[in-house]
Amino acid sequence: MIRVAIVDDQPLFTDGLGRIVGAQEGMEVVGVAHDGESGVKMCAELRPDVILMDINMPVMDGVTATGKIRDILPDAKILILTVHADDVHVFQGIKAGATGYLLKDCTPEDLSRAIKTVHTGDTIMAPEIARKMLLAFEEADPEQPEAPSLTKRELDIVTAFARGRGNKQIARDLSISEK
């Protein structure tokens, strides 16, 4: 059973999200918090398998909460679920330790697949987010010490991911293991 916690400040959304997650075979919602600070406390106490985290919340934002949860629970699987697709939020969320990044307009099937994916230790990004990351890598100045450097193989994987391919399809296409 995958134990899921929801941290989002919109009660109507968390109720609907809870129903969607609870209806999935092998998943249960173990807690809901409506701000980042309460979310950190809840996750420290309940130790959920996967945490669905919004970005904009009162008291403490989701990026800060993600970092604090990762400090307490280094192996936490945090899936950011937000309306924000801008570069600043995406990169801040990933830097804070998010395991995945989905937009709130995803389908229930996408959400279920994402929860299962991060639960197994893999990373998942909405295709539009993966494209942003790929563009950032392509535009990075190689002279900058902070510029990310990818091997040819890693770039092939990120490119396939940005084109919306899933882990299994990428592994099959590139003749590599899914892990």
Side-chain angles (χ1 to χ4, degrees):
M1 184 69 65
I2 301 173
R3 301 172 65 249
V4 179
I6 301 169
V7 184
D8 192 295
D9 64 326
Q10 299 174 346
L12 185 62
F13 182 77
T14 56
D15 185 53
L17 192 56
R19 290 172 194 258
I20 290 169
V21 172
Q24 302 302 311
E25 187 175 328
M27 291 183 199
E28 68 175 331
V29 175
V30 295
V32 175
H34 295 288
D35 65 72
E37 186 175 292
S38 299
V40 171
K41 290 176 185 171
M42 174 189 66
C43 291
E45 180 182 319
L46 298 176
R47 299 185 171 292
D49 298 317
V50 176
I51 302 154
L52 303 179
M53 179 73 68
D54 189 19
I55 295 270
N56 280 344
M57 292 183 289
V59 185
M60 180 187 297
D61 66 86
V63 171
T64 303
T66 294
K68 288 186 179 288
I69 291 169
R70 290 298 299 259
D71 288 343
I72 298 166
L73 305 169
D75 295 328
K77 309 294 193 250
I78 303 171
L79 180 60
I80 291 180
L81 185 60
T82 186
V83 296
H84 298 288
D86 59 273
D87 294 355
V88 172
H89 286 103
V90 170
F91 293 115
Q92 285 178 344
I94 300 305
K95 276 184 152 181
T99 314
Y101 201 107
L102 285 184
L103 299 177
K104 285 185 176 178
D105 66 355
C106 70
T107 66
E109 294 79 18
D110 289 341
L111 178 63
S112 176
R113 184 172 41 256
I115 291 170
K116 291 173 185 172
T117 297
V118 299
H119 181 253
T120 64
D122 284 334
T123 301
I124 192 159
M125 302 279 165
E128 53 269 44
I129 301 302
R131 276 190 286 282
K132 284 181 181 286
M133 292 184 78
L134 180 61
L135 286 173
F137 283 119
E138 288 175 352
E139 294 171 357
D141 181 355
E143 300 301 315
Q144 296 276 5
E146 297 157 357
S149 60
L150 296 177
T151 66
K152 166 99 172 73
R153 189 54 136 189
E154 289 169 334
L155 191 55
D156 290 343
I157 293 167
V158 172
T159 301
F161 195 60
R163 291 187 175 127
R165 290 183 174 76
N167 290 349
K168 287 183 182 179
Q169 187 176 10
I170 293 170
R172 192 173 42 248
D173 291 349
L174 298 177
S175 300
I176 58 176
S177 79
E178 190 175 343
K179 294 285 181 188

